[in-house]
Amino acid sequence: MSPTAASDADHAPAAGGIAADRLRSVIERVERLEEERKALSADIKDIFAEAKSAGFDVKIIRQIIRLRKQEPAEVEEQETLLDIYRRALGM
């Protein structure tokens, strides 16, 4: 057992070999991050509402964001296939 693990075990009551303080810490950190994620989601929603009120098409903005996350070669491949499929359908 490492010195850190031993000191953690000394300070936290254990039930079934689980250090309660350590478990509580992990759970509370995840809960804090989930709250931050909710706040960020609300901020993003507000930005999309602002874009919509400025006359931008939110659906297209989401597509652009998705494309910017991809590698350029991947985007080019998808666009090529889309073009091939459109021509096959006479579009």
Side-chain angles (χ1 to χ4, degrees):
M1 184 180 282
S2 71
T4 305
S7 65
D8 285 349
D10 292 342
H11 298 312
I18 298 175
D21 287 345
R22 180 73 174 150
L23 177 59
R24 186 176 297 108
S25 171
V26 168
I27 291 170
E28 288 172 351
R29 287 168 44 208
V30 170
E31 288 172 340
R32 272 194 304 277
L33 289 171
E34 286 177 346
E35 285 300 316
E36 288 178 27
R37 181 171 38 193
K38 284 182 192 175
L40 289 173
S41 292
D43 291 346
I44 291 170
K45 183 179 177 181
D46 290 344
I47 292 170
F48 281 123
E50 177 185 330
K52 185 175 182 177
S53 69
F56 294 108
D57 187 322
V58 173
K59 186 176 177 181
I60 301 302
I61 291 173
R62 288 183 190 277
Q63 286 179 337
I64 290 172
I65 292 169
R66 201 170 26 254
L67 287 171
R68 288 171 52 113
K69 290 179 185 177
Q70 296 176 358
E71 293 294 321
E74 190 178 344
V75 173
E76 185 177 343
E77 180 182 347
Q78 289 177 5
E79 288 175 350
T80 300
L81 283 173
L82 182 60
D83 186 48
I84 291 168
Y85 290 5
R86 282 182 174 160
R87 280 188 275 133
L89 296 172
M91 296 174 70

